[in-house]
Amino acid sequence: MRRLETSVYIDRSAADVWQVLIDFDRYPEWNPFITSIAGPLQSGARLSMSLRPPGGRAIGMKPTVRVVEPGRRFVWLGHLGVPGIFDGEHELVVEPGGPAGDQGSLFTQQETFRGALVPFVGRLLERTRTGFEAMNHALKQRVEGASR
């Protein structure tokens, strides 16, 4: 098992961040990591998405939504190939409040990887971490720019 986690402070409300995060149709406009995503945001639904890790090829996935807490977080579980070989549970979380208790919010992206291939994909995981950071930065720019 391996876990990646990245966070970014966004100088806007959690509601503003959530609205950009769930507007899947606009992901191609701003998101350098998850370049497309489609499907209903409801537990048990299948999403169709394309990921582009920096320095890597685009990867198509069809993860299953596991948890949706409107305004706060959603979680999906994806597999590369057969389940159990390389699985990733991805979580996007928006928390209100900033470092000084202000009106900003903290966005956290985390993923837990499990399966037989996990010990052998260190390079892919580092690209994935870089992709998370790029997405976090792009989300911050999108939300802060959109609400000015």
Side-chain angles (χ1 to χ4, degrees):
M1 180 178 86
R2 288 272 311 266
R3 181 179 169 94
L4 300 178
E5 182 173 323
T6 63
S7 297
V8 66
Y9 171 75
I10 301 175
D11 190 21
R12 294 293 178 263
S13 73
D16 289 344
V17 176
W18 183 256
Q19 286 307 309
V20 171
L21 207 55
I22 65 169
D23 188 358
F24 296 159
D25 290 341
R26 297 203 184 273
Y27 269 44
E29 295 175 10
W30 66 269
N31 196 326
F33 180 60
I34 301 174
T35 56
S36 71
I37 186 168
L41 187 58
Q42 62 189 43
S43 185
R46 293 285 302 255
L47 299 175
S48 178
M49 64 176 55
S50 182
L51 308 174
R52 185 174 296 276
R57 296 183 324 213
I59 301 167
M61 297 191 68
K62 296 203 178 282
T64 301
V65 177
R66 299 197 61 182
V67 177
V68 178
E69 295 177 22
R72 185 175 179 311
R73 79 180 183 126
F74 66 95
V75 180
W76 68 73
L77 177 63
H79 312 281
L80 284 180
V82 178
I85 300 295
F86 187 75
D87 303 336
E89 184 174 76
H90 197 104
E91 184 171 1
L92 305 175
V93 180
V94 181
E95 298 174 283
D102 60 12
Q103 297 300 309
S105 54
L106 182 68
F107 171 69
T108 301
Q109 208 175 164
Q110 53 198 15
E111 188 153 5
T112 302
F113 297 94
R114 293 183 173 85
L117 290 180
V118 171
F120 308 103
V121 294
R123 189 175 198 175
L124 173 62
L125 295 181
E126 283 311 308
R127 281 192 214 136
T128 301
R129 175 185 299 282
T130 303
F132 284 10
E133 291 167 352
M135 177 177 162
N136 293 0
H137 179 72
L139 177 65
K140 177 180 176 68
Q141 286 187 316
R142 179 76 172 200
V143 174
E144 290 179 356
S147 53
R148 284 198 171 117

